[in-house]
């Protein structure tokens, strides 16, 4: 009987109940509680949103780090694409330090092969604000490899970024080239009439196309 309960709507969360002993709160205090209650609701919503963003960021970071293809987040600085972050596969493929690579120009890490034409060797495509896809050859720690390059623009708290993905198709391309060479060899062998010529052509193909001794 000597207690008073005050129920205040806590938007999106429920009801806030304040219980006092003795005298009831005066009208001015109750009015002030309404404003304070609204601030508490705003703080709860902000905390819930921040927690959700942290969870989404953690999930994205896990995907970014574990994806098997080389990937980099790229930003523009002074008209040049610079690295914001790379995953482990990128560091292993292009031979850089994943921890210290932030801020490095992308052109210093991803170096085109000399035989690429001037247009394809440009790296400012990574920050042109549009999605891109093309087939390119880049130097890696294992030598020149063929990649399908894909970039997707996105907006983050730090500004505009590009997610750059490098899909290595060197093995696939090598298999296709080997198959094409074998098909051409088979066509030539079918036109030969001499047994020894067929044998020699087969031996030559095994050495030049398949790499046998």
């Amino acid at each position: 009987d000597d207690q008073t309960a005050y129920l205040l709507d806590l938007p999106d969360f429920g009801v806030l109940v304040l219980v006092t002993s003795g005298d009831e709160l005066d009208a001015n205090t109750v009015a002030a509680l309404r404003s304070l209650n609204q601030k508490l609701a705003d703080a709860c919503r902000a905390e819930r949103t921040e927690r959700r963003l942290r969870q989404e960021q953690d999930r994205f970071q896990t995907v970014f780090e574990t994806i098997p293809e080389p990937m980099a987040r790229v930003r523009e600085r002074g008209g040049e694409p610079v690295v914001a972050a790379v995953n482990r596969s990128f560091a292993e493929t292009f031979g850089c330090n994943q921890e210290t690579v932030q801020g490095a120009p992308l052109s210093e890490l991803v170096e085109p092969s000399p035989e690429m034409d001037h247009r394809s060797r440009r790296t400012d495509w990574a920050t042109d604000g549009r999605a891109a896809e093309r087939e390119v050859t880049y130097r890696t720690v294992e030598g020149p490899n063929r990649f399908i390059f894909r970039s997707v623009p996105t907006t983050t708290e730090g500004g505009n970024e590009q997610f750059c993905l490098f899909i290595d198709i060197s093995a696939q391309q090598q298999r296709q080239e080997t198959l094409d060479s074998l098909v051409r060899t088979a066509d030539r062998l079918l036109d030969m009439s001499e047994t020894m010529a067929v044998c020699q052509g087969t031996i030559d193909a095994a050495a030049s196309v398949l790499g046998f001794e």
Side-chain angles (χ1 to χ4, degrees), residues 134-147:
R134 65 182 53 156
E135 191 172 319
V136 290
T137 301
Y138 287 123
R139 292 179 179 175
T140 69
V141 294
E142 298 177 351
N145 279 7
R146 196 71 177 171
F147 294 91

Side-chain angles (χ1 to χ4, degrees), residues 181-200:
S181 296
L182 291 176
V183 170
R184 289 193 297 270
T185 298
D187 289 340
R188 289 196 301 269
L189 293 178
L190 290 173
D191 291 334
M192 296 179 183
S193 57
E194 297 293 331
T195 301
M196 289 305 298
V198 173
C199 292
Q200 187 60 49

Side-chain angles (χ1 to χ4, degrees), residues 182 185 199-213:
L182 291 176
T185 298
C199 292
Q200 187 60 49
T202 303
I203 292 173
D204 293 342
S208 61
V209 178
L210 301 178
F212 293 165
E213 294 290 340

Side-chain angles (χ1 to χ4, degrees), residues 111-125 138:
E111 185 179 357
S113 295
E115 64 271 14
M116 292 180 62
D117 60 66
H118 178 72
R119 181 185 59 82
S120 299
R121 296 185 67 179
R122 297 173 61 226
T123 54
D124 54 357
W125 38 257
Y138 287 123

Side-chain angles (χ1 to χ4, degrees), residues 148-162:
I148 290 179
F149 165 81
R150 291 175 180 164
S151 69
V152 178
T154 185
T155 301
T156 66
E157 293 182 357
N160 296 329
E161 290 186 345
Q162 289 268 351

